Amino acid sequence: MCGIVGFGEEHHDPAAARHTLQAMAALIRHRGPDGEGLYADDRAALGHRRLSIIDLEGGGQPMFNEDGSLVVVFNGEIYNYRELARQLSAAGHVFATRSDTEVLLHGWEQWGKALPGKLRGMFAFVLWDRNTGTMFGARDVFGIKPLYYYRRGELLLFASEIKALLAHPGFVKQFNEARLPDYLSMEYLPGDETLFTGVYELLPAHSFIWQAGKLRVERYAALRFAEKRDRTLAEWAEAIDAAFTDSVAAHRIADVEVGCFLSGGVDSSLVACKAARQQEKLRCFSVGYAEEDYSELPAARQAAEALGVPCTETTVGAEEFFAANRAIQWYLDEPMPNPAEVPLYFLCRTARQQVKVVLSGEGADELFGGYPLYCQAVHAEAWQQLPRGVRRLLARYAPGCGFLRRGALPRWRRSARANYVFADPAERDRYLNRDVGAPSPARRCKPYFDAVQGLDEATAVQWVDLQTWLPRDILRKADRMSMAHSLELRVPFLDRAVWAQARALPRPLRCTRRKTKVALRAAAACSLPSEISGRKKRGFPVPLADWLRQDKYYQMVREKFTGPVASRFFDTTALCDLLEAHRAGKVKGMTKIWSFYCFILWYELYFTGPFPPDL
């Protein structure tokens, strides 16, 4: 686990390039405090910050092949590297280390751009082939590990985090204001654009080739559901259990101690259960609040007792929550107003004091149908059987019923993710002080739904989540909050073998009108008590709505709502009216308030204050 940076251009001075590379790497030192490696020739520069997990002595980067013609920097873990190393050795390749990184070098020599499709793991890597003048980069199929790039003329920059790009003298920093409405509606941007003009995220399952100043980006794999109806629920549960047990074993490969996050829900409990059976003295970690109505700690304690594992608890209060948010927005690169990232930040900090690697349950909901949103989609599909005219008539006579109103719309416009913060884009636009001409967020999501028109509604929504919500929200905050504390977070649900089972599940074994994760819960019931395997999804609740009504935090937010950044982008009177209405209990405005507030903090950090900021 590491951070990578680099650039390519037709010609540069290697000494100057090395100096720039070091400045870029310094901005993501938190991703790899154990060491630094730099390489520069007259066309390419590759840098690396290392967090030592596998082959502690011999896995340093950048890493070279035997004659030095190939160089690679790599972030992540390849869990089938031993199997691939055996294949490559049989083909005549000679290995000098026990590191999974070296598989990338020999794999490129053997398979070329087909290499990413052979990897089981989480990864973002960039190879420089000196002989052909080719730079090749790739990202894992789920988007667990990040990779960003920026082009200006023949210059190509890349990095694990956007902030590192800003240290290059060729980078022009500019806010991508046209996408501000999307951020406000969805909490993230779907697709490959970012809030920095010209900076793109290499999408999951994509690779790039840069040669002679030209860049080509292409998809190397695709996630597709393909239902099979040849098994009973019991048989599916057995197959899922076997695949997941194997995945946890693979994700435990490390030369350092591995721990687990434990919330008490079915996903994290199943991870901890499998890991505890494979590892003695497994350490688990949980986070919660003093306000018991919002805290997961009681459920986590119950799970820890049932599994017989020790669990270290962290409690977050309002003072810590608000104080940490500035640093959190810095580590995230782009603003993210999902309050769950704050307790995750503190959970990672606590875990890093005892272990270097943790296993976590991210991805189970997206693969196995865990969100109530999918149950709503099952309802919606039944509703679609009525003639459109009848649906429109009922919606007209019951305008206050969101379900009926959405039911009269096309599938792509019903997307709850598109209008996650503001149900109506027109309401959002009232807070903006100028029209940037952006399409509706639902229109941004339309191409995703168009790509899967043949799927039932719940499966289509699930697939869109795999392309958008999972990499841009769930996995981004997991990566950034763990890396902020130099902690490697691994996600055994997001594994090729586990996905092979999930993609084949019939929809009723993923979700129904009332049940979520039907088959996964059946698999979990083989290992966990029923009160855990059957526990409903609770999310990551926070008492933020209550805290925003307290004078101290109300005033803290109001100060930002009347400041220069707010004045530049928003109607400050409307912002303050929203805050006041929430305080008075007239509206539930927490999600909207937090979206504006986090954006303002982020913009101050990256565009108005000293860079890098004093955290």
Side-chain angles (χ1 to χ4, degrees):
M1 180 61 65
C2 313
I4 63 174
V5 297
F7 51 93
E9 50 195 330
E10 281 304 283
H11 180 78
H12 55 225
D13 174 62
R18 191 178 181 89
H19 179 76
T20 297
L21 199 62
Q22 193 164 34
M24 294 173 68
L27 286 170
I28 57 169
R29 187 183 186 280
H30 50 277
R31 296 189 72 92
D34 294 339
E36 177 184 77
L38 307 172
Y39 166 83
D41 59 28
D42 61 352
R43 289 180 292 171
L46 289 81
H48 183 262
R49 293 293 324 189
R50 187 183 187 201
L51 181 65
S52 304
I53 302 295
I54 293 176
D55 192 2
L56 305 186
E57 298 299 325
Q61 298 181 40
M63 188 175 285
F64 302 85
N65 65 346
E66 297 95 325
D67 65 4
S69 62
L70 279 181
V71 56
V72 67
V73 286
F74 163 51
N75 170 30
E77 305 290 352
I78 307 300
Y79 302 120
N80 63 337
Y81 78 96
R82 291 170 180 164
E83 174 191 340
L84 294 176
R86 285 193 292 270
Q87 294 178 26
L88 291 165
S89 294
H93 296 271
V94 178
F95 282 77
T97 73
R98 296 184 299 107
S99 169
D100 54 346
T101 306
E102 193 173 359
V103 164
L104 301 176
L105 292 167
H106 298 300
W108 173 259
E109 292 171 327
Q110 185 72 24
W111 301 306
K113 67 177 186 178
L115 167 63
K118 298 183 179 292
L119 305 177
R120 177 186 185 183
M122 54 181 188
F123 58 84
F125 68 85
V126 176
L127 280 152
W128 169 240
D129 187 331
R130 294 176 57 192
N131 290 338
T132 63
T134 300
M135 189 175 286
F136 178 82
R139 190 177 178 204
D140 66 74
V141 71
F142 294 106
I144 305 168
K145 292 293 102 185
L147 187 59
Y148 296 90
Y149 64 92
Y150 172 85
R151 288 185 67 201
R152 188 181 176 203
E154 294 180 341
L155 172 68
L156 174 71
L157 310 180
F158 69 84
S160 296
E161 296 183 16
I162 297 172
K163 60 180 66 67
L165 303 176
L166 276 62
H168 193 284
F171 183 85
V172 178
K173 184 172 64 173
Q174 183 178 348
F175 174 52
N176 187 4
E177 187 174 355
R179 299 307 299 272
L180 176 57
D182 294 323
Y183 157 77
L184 291 174
S185 289
M186 305 176 71
E187 297 190 346
Y188 60 89
L189 305 188
D192 61 353
E193 278 192 78
T194 72
L195 285 176
F196 292 87
T197 300
V199 175
Y200 295 89
E201 181 172 359
L202 185 67
L203 294 177
H206 280 68
S207 62
F208 72 74
I209 290 180
W210 178 86
Q211 190 174 39
K214 296 182 179 180
L215 180 71
R216 185 172 76 253
V217 177
E218 58 187 35
R219 177 184 288 275
Y220 68 81
L223 298 176
R224 288 284 183 266
F225 285 95
E227 293 185 8
K228 295 181 180 179
R229 300 181 178 272
D230 58 348
R231 298 179 187 173
T232 65
L233 176 59
E235 290 170 333
W236 276 112
E238 182 179 354
I240 292 168
D241 182 72
F244 189 66
T245 300
D246 176 69
S247 178
V248 171
H251 282 70
R252 285 187 52 256
I253 295 174
D255 293 330
V256 296
E257 185 177 356
V258 178
C260 280
F261 286 162
L262 182 61
S263 68
V266 61
D267 306 335
S268 66
S269 297
L270 188 58
V271 173
C273 176
K274 297 299 183 182
R277 291 179 179 179
Q278 300 171 11
Q279 174 180 323
E280 294 183 1
K281 300 178 181 179
L282 177 73
R283 303 191 202 197
C284 292
F285 305 90
S286 302
V287 67
Y289 301 95
E291 293 85 347
E292 288 194 7
D293 288 346
Y294 297 94
S295 184
E296 293 184 338
L297 290 177
R301 290 183 200 123
Q302 181 189 30
E305 183 177 351
L307 298 175
V309 295
C311 191
T312 301
E313 296 181 358
T314 299
T315 302
V316 180
E319 188 75 24
E320 295 170 295
F321 188 98
F322 278 84
N325 198 39
R326 186 168 178 270
I328 286 170
Q329 297 306 319
W330 163 254
Y331 285 117
L332 284 165
D333 271 340
E334 296 179 270
M336 181 180 282
N338 188 331
E341 67 213 11
V342 183
L344 180 57
Y345 176 86
F346 287 102
L347 177 62
C348 291
R349 185 177 72 177
T350 298
R352 185 60 179 89
Q353 294 168 3
Q354 299 185 47
V355 298
K356 228 175 183 180
V357 179
V358 290
L359 306 185
S360 189
E362 280 84 356
D365 290 319
E366 290 78 10
L367 262 65
F368 289 98
Y371 292 117
L373 178 66
Y374 305 149
C375 298
Q376 296 168 18
V378 177
H379 275 286
E381 185 158 65
W383 172 247
Q384 296 302 304
Q385 303 307 310
L386 291 175
R388 178 181 293 182
V390 174
R391 286 183 275 128
R392 287 179 173 174
L393 184 65
L394 290 172
R396 187 181 306 141
Y397 282 99
C401 179
F403 177 76
L404 292 180
R405 185 178 67 253
R406 290 192 301 272
L409 301 173
R411 179 185 286 183
W412 61 271
R413 291 186 62 193
R414 292 196 296 271
S415 172
R417 296 286 191 215
N419 300 314
Y420 190 69
V421 179
F422 289 93
D424 181 3
E427 179 192 2
R428 173 205 64 199
D429 292 347
R430 287 198 294 270
Y431 291 93
L432 296 169
N433 64 11
R434 57 181 168 274
D435 181 8
V436 296
S440 71
R443 178 66 64 177
R444 297 281 195 190
C445 292
K446 185 178 185 298
Y448 296 100
F449 284 99
D450 288 347
V452 286
Q453 291 183 27
L455 297 181
D456 66 87
E457 182 137 345
T459 305
V461 174
Q462 196 176 340
W463 185 86
V464 173
D465 272 358
L466 284 167
Q467 314 303 313
T468 57
W469 170 259
L470 179 65
R472 291 296 264 154
D473 188 294
I474 299 298
L475 293 176
R476 182 156 69 95
K477 71 174 181 282
D479 173 80
R480 299 304 199 282
M481 295 303 92
S482 57
M483 284 284 89
H485 301 289
S486 308
L487 177 73
E488 176 169 304
L489 187 149
R490 298 179 177 179
V491 282
F493 279 107
L494 296 177
D495 176 77
R496 290 194 326 193
V498 178
W499 165 245
Q501 300 301 321
R503 70 187 293 267
L505 277 174
R507 194 274 300 155
L509 297 188
R510 284 180 271 117
C511 59
T512 67
R513 292 188 183 189
R514 294 180 176 84
K515 296 181 180 179
T516 60
K517 290 187 287 201
V518 177
L520 181 63
R521 292 183 190 280
C526 301
S527 306
L528 299 173
S530 59
E531 61 269 23
I532 298 178
S533 64
R535 182 169 285 149
K536 291 184 178 180
K537 182 173 180 60
R538 193 159 181 249
F540 226 151
V542 297
L544 178 58
D546 297 338
W547 292 340
L548 287 170
R549 295 186 176 101
Q550 296 178 21
D551 188 65
K552 179 176 182 178
Y553 306 111
Y554 165 88
Q555 294 295 343
M556 185 182 297
V557 174
R558 196 178 192 284
E559 181 181 351
K560 295 298 182 185
F561 279 10
T562 56
V565 174
S567 298
R568 178 172 180 176
F569 296 104
F570 308 118
D571 180 334
T572 56
T573 300
L575 291 183
C576 291
D577 287 348
L578 172 65
L579 184 61
E580 184 57 44
H582 176 83
R583 187 188 199 188
K586 296 177 181 178
V587 300
K588 294 180 179 179
M590 181 201 79
T591 305
K592 299 178 179 67
I593 291 167
W594 202 241
S595 294
F596 290 119
Y597 181 69
C598 290
F599 170 79
I600 293 168
L601 287 183
W602 169 82
Y603 192 88
E604 289 175 344
L605 286 164
Y606 278 93
F607 287 92
T608 67
F611 188 88
D614 181 9
L615 300 177

